[in-house]
Amino acid sequence: MVLALGGAAAAALALRGGGGGETDLVSSTWVDMRSGVGGKAIEELLARHTEAVKKKDLNAWMADVDQSDAAFVKRQKQLFENLAKMPFADISFDRTRLPARQLAKFLPTQLFDRYHAAVHVEAVTIRHRVEGVDSKTVATPWMPVVAWTNGKWLVVGDAAGKDMPLGANGQPWDSTGPVAVLRNDRIIAVVSADDAQRGRNLLQMAETSLKEVIEVRPSGWDGKVLFTAVQDKRIFDTYFAESQERVAQVAAIAVPFYNQVGDWAGSPAYSSTRVVFNPTQLTAQTEELAHDLTHEFAHAAMGPVTTARTPRWVVEGFAEYVAYRKDKVPAAGIRQALGNLVISTLPTDDQFYAEPRNYIASWLANRMIAEKYGQAKLIAFYEAFQNVSEVESAAREVLGIGVSTLEQQWRDYVAQQRG
């Protein structure tokens, strides 16, 4: 579940203010793709890629890349250079065997026209740990196109399509430009190389935000974060392949990753949450950026206990609770942020992102629980959805009340806060 800090921006402001080149065709012949023949050769190619990144050997990487397309060669060199800058404690490129039909739809037509039957898409799992951040192995997808050319298998292009697995083309090393990796003891920030000064300011801000989160959630997660804030908007847009209309409304997202690629595995286990910024948000006011960082880091902190059953109003409202925890928000700001929003029943997941003011209403619901029952109970309420799917069950188990009482307490609290 990708967690987006989106259209709440306007309401949040109200609260804070109180008011390729041409190439020749390549002929091909019949190619033996039986397991242990073609498959083994590609696995050996990926093993060489692994060693190339570990040894930071550009020539070794490029030896398995088709050199006939100058634009693709340039992209591959940039990909390698970005990978080489990442502080990997470990990394491997592992072939994931999937049915050919499942992958065929991601093969760009121009590559099929060029290589004919001797070309296909591979599903590759990049398993890695970032030093100083990850305690568990993180799996991300890569879908290169490989072709039999000049007597061997080479990487010739990249797969494309809106149904690609979550995270494909969305990693910091996928940036089309060079990146810079900035770090302190608990945070790694990946920014565009020519944006390093702003990146250092962002890293300093992020350290303060992380401290705010750790005060609320000191254990139960790694307490460390990797976030991406590159200027290449394609990295951010990748996570909105099926909802492009929402991209402009979203400031940042928290993306959970697992020990296997979720789209390719039955029951992956949670590993870590990465934060990705919308580059259009990087020019926002300092106070707004700080809020966004705290909100997203709160998602990362709760990532290990967030499930598909956890209601969005709990997930997003909790992150807002952490982000606003030390703010003194006047009644006028709350009235302005909520406007004429009717507070009746807690928003459903289907409704949540359609109404930006649900962020504010949910923040007030979480803050009410913390104030009335204690912050520990709020966290226990959040964690309860690991085992139950209904608010009624979680509320009775943790708070000792039913959902109707919870909603009445929330309505009364909001009315009081509105003044």
Side-chain angles (χ1 to χ4, degrees):
M1 180 170 59
V2 177
L3 305 170
L5 176 59
L13 282 172
L15 286 178
R16 283 193 292 272
E22 295 294 328
T23 55
D24 297 329
L25 291 177
V26 178
S27 60
S28 62
T29 57
W30 179 82
V31 181
D32 192 341
M33 277 297 294
R34 289 174 299 170
S35 176
V37 183
K40 181 179 179 182
I42 291 166
E43 288 167 0
E44 291 171 350
L45 182 159
L46 293 173
R48 291 192 296 272
H49 262 24
T50 296
E51 287 304 306
V53 172
K54 288 181 176 180
K55 295 177 180 179
K56 302 186 186 302
D57 187 340
L58 174 62
N59 291 332
W61 178 279
M62 296 306 297
D64 287 304
V65 174
D66 185 11
Q67 302 294 307
S68 63
D69 183 338
F72 180 66
V73 168
K74 182 179 180 180
R75 291 199 303 273
Q76 281 291 297
K77 286 181 178 179
Q78 189 62 72
L79 171 62
F80 175 82
E81 289 171 4
N82 289 344
L83 280 164
K85 290 177 182 176
M86 296 295 298
F88 292 118
D90 193 20
I91 186 171
S92 65
F93 295 81
D94 301 327
R95 184 170 181 251
T96 304
R97 300 187 181 187
L98 297 177
R101 287 186 178 182
Q102 185 175 337
L103 298 172
K105 63 182 179 179
F106 300 112
L107 178 64
T109 302
Q110 67 272 23
L111 291 177
F112 177 79
D113 291 343
R114 183 173 179 212
Y115 295 98
H116 306 295
V119 63
H120 65 276
V121 175
E122 283 287 345
V124 178
T125 299
I126 304 179
R127 291 188 170 88
H128 64 280
R129 287 184 298 109
V130 174
E131 186 178 357
V133 171
D134 298 323
S135 63
K136 299 177 181 178
T137 297
V138 176
T140 58
W142 179 40
M143 299 181 71
V145 177
V146 298
W148 180 263
T149 181
N150 297 324
K152 60 180 179 179
W153 288 103
L154 294 174
V155 178
V156 300
D158 295 303
K162 70 174 186 177
D163 296 327
M164 293 176 71
L166 184 71
N169 300 322
Q171 303 309 311
W173 50 82
D174 290 319
S175 175
T176 54
V179 302
V181 178
L182 310 174
R183 67 181 306 165
N184 57 29
D185 290 341
R186 296 185 294 189
I187 301 169
I188 290 180
V190 184
V191 302
S192 295
D194 60 0
D195 213 13
Q197 182 54 53
R198 180 161 55 184
R200 282 188 282 272
N201 294 337
L202 200 58
L203 183 65
Q204 194 171 35
M205 200 182 306
E207 178 63 23
T208 301
S209 290
L210 187 60
K211 288 178 181 177
E212 297 287 336
V213 174
I214 290 174
E215 285 183 11
V216 178
R217 185 69 169 176
S219 62
W221 66 301
D222 288 338
K224 301 173 182 180
V225 182
L226 183 152
F227 73 87
T228 303
V230 296
Q231 292 294 337
D232 184 356
K233 197 166 184 296
R234 183 184 63 106
I235 302 299
F236 183 77
D237 291 357
T238 291
Y239 298 98
F240 295 87
E242 296 182 356
S243 55
Q244 285 294 312
E245 70 283 354
R246 288 190 58 215
V247 173
Q249 303 171 346
V250 179
I253 50 174
V255 186
F257 286 99
Y258 303 83
N259 65 342
Q260 302 178 73
V261 175
D263 295 66
W264 300 341
S267 54
Y270 174 85
S271 292
S272 183
T273 294
R274 310 289 199 218
V275 173
V276 185
F277 263 84
N278 187 337
T280 62
Q281 179 68 9
L282 297 178
T283 56
Q285 295 294 321
T286 298
E287 190 177 31
E288 187 174 350
L289 281 172
H291 178 96
D292 294 347
L293 283 162
T294 307
H295 178 107
E296 300 302 336
F297 290 173
H299 284 321
M302 301 306 286
V305 296
T306 302
T307 73
R309 296 184 295 271
T310 315
R312 294 296 172 93
W313 72 265
V314 175
V315 174
E316 299 292 4
F318 181 86
E320 289 290 81
Y321 163 75
V322 177
Y324 281 121
R325 190 170 63 97
K326 293 183 177 180
D327 290 354
K328 300 296 183 183
V329 182
I334 293 176
R335 283 197 303 272
Q336 183 178 350
L338 288 175
N340 61 357
L341 182 68
V342 176
I343 302 298
S344 57
T345 58
L346 293 161
T348 65
D349 287 359
D350 290 341
Q351 298 171 330
F352 193 90
Y353 293 123
E355 171 51 78
R357 292 174 296 180
N358 281 333
Y359 278 88
I360 306 303
S362 298
W363 159 58
L364 291 171
N366 280 258
R367 194 175 78 168
M368 182 272 293
I369 294 172
E371 290 181 2
K372 189 174 184 66
Y373 298 94
Q375 184 173 279
K377 285 286 189 179
L378 172 61
I379 293 172
F381 179 71
Y382 191 118
E383 293 175 328
F385 291 97
Q386 295 175 95
N387 303 310
V388 303
S389 58
E390 301 296 330
V391 176
E392 176 75 27
S393 300
R396 289 198 178 279
E397 176 185 313
V398 178
L399 307 178
I401 59 173
V403 67
S404 60
T405 301
L406 177 63
E407 288 179 330
Q408 185 59 57
Q409 290 176 348
W410 171 54
R411 287 191 291 270
D412 293 344
Y413 183 80
V414 174
Q416 181 184 20
Q417 298 305 310
R418 274 174 156 164

